[in-house]
Amino acid sequence: MTASEPWTVGVLIVDDDPLVRAGLVMMLGGAPDIRVVAQAGDGAQVLPLVDRYAPDVVLMDIRMPVMDGLAATEVLRARPGAPEVIVLTTFDADDHVLRALRAGAAGFLLKDTPPDEIVTAVRQVAQGYPVLSPAVTRRLIARVADSGHDLRRTRAGDRLALLNGREREVAVALGQGRSNAEIGAVLHLSVPTVKTHVSGILTKLGLNNRVQIALLVHDAGLLDEQE
């Protein structure tokens, strides 16, 4: 690609249903800035295909044979320079989605999502923004299982102790599902300053995206303190 050519988003589609893969190829094929670089029918094929085709975004089904999408997401996102992952699911309240988000997935899409929204989501994730709306984020966080709650809260609190006062305020605002502009308005900060704080939080805590920050804030019980 030369400097004069527009950047296209490379997408790897991972789903064990050939019809679903074909439908996604058709949906994405009409977008001039998106290119499906490869397809896989199982999570075990993801790493070799990522190494070969270097996609920007992976559309990952959850339920697949041999290696499911959750395990594949965890392995993939643990690697440096990994592509962003959007989890595909038939259930918008599936607890498995939480595991994928904790592993570093940038969000999720229902398989019956309208084609134009899928295209928009791929573009958004490729630019580094999660595809979860604040309302969806709050609903998913609210479904975190109670098992191991106390231990999880202690561990989350210890990690968040690495943040300074302002970073902690920004983290809590992220947990509340606020956008950068909303955080800036509440904390009297410019949007670029908010972005700097978010980047600093991700680096300090070793996280991939703002969804993981929101989950950590919830685990630490900081949202309870705001009620």
Side-chain angles (χ1 to χ4, degrees):
M1 183 173 67
T2 66
S4 61
E5 294 177 329
W7 176 59
T8 58
V9 180
V11 179
L12 167 62
I13 296 174
V14 187
D15 196 295
D16 64 338
D17 188 334
L19 292 178
V20 172
R21 296 200 304 270
L24 289 169
V25 170
M26 289 182 62
M27 290 180 194
L28 299 174
D33 57 337
I34 296 176
R35 180 170 56 96
V36 176
V37 298
Q39 302 177 45
D42 184 81
Q45 301 171 342
V46 170
L47 293 186
L49 289 175
V50 166
D51 288 340
R52 181 174 180 180
Y53 294 101
D56 302 293
V57 177
V58 178
L59 291 179
M60 184 86 74
D61 185 25
I62 289 183
R63 295 172 176 82
M64 294 181 290
V66 185
M67 176 182 282
D68 64 32
L70 297 175
T73 296
E74 289 172 342
V75 172
L76 178 61
R77 290 298 298 171
R79 303 174 72 189
E84 298 293 347
V85 175
I86 300 176
V87 173
L88 296 169
T89 179
T90 53
F91 302 100
D92 65 348
D94 193 332
D95 287 338
H96 291 310
V97 175
L98 281 167
R99 177 179 159 193
L101 295 177
R102 292 185 188 282
F108 79 94
L109 289 173
L110 298 179
K111 289 189 176 180
D112 60 358
T113 299
D116 59 331
E117 293 183 19
I118 291 180
V119 171
T120 298
V122 168
R123 289 174 176 149
Q124 184 174 333
V125 165
Q127 295 172 0
Y129 298 99
V131 296
L132 293 173
S133 68
V136 171
T137 301
R138 287 192 291 268
R139 188 169 73 246
L140 275 172
I141 289 174
R143 289 184 59 84
V144 175
D146 291 334
S147 59
H149 178 271
D150 292 340
L151 179 59
R152 193 167 60 242
R153 173 171 288 210
T154 299
R155 288 177 174 173
D158 289 344
R159 293 185 70 185
L160 290 172
L162 297 172
L163 305 180
N164 61 39
R166 180 61 84 184
E167 289 170 338
R168 187 181 178 91
E169 291 176 337
V170 171
V172 170
L174 288 173
Q176 294 169 334
R178 299 183 186 274
S179 66
N180 287 345
E182 291 170 336
I183 295 172
V186 171
L187 299 180
H188 306 291
L189 301 171
S190 68
V191 171
T193 299
V194 173
K195 291 181 179 179
T196 298
H197 283 309
V198 172
S199 296
I201 293 168
L202 291 173
T203 299
K204 279 188 177 182
L205 301 182
L207 300 177
N208 288 291
N209 55 50
R210 52 202 293 143
V211 176
Q212 289 183 311
I213 297 174
L215 290 170
L216 195 63
V217 166
H218 175 273
D219 287 349
L222 298 186
L223 298 184
D224 298 337
E225 298 172 6
Q226 306 301 311
E227 297 178 353

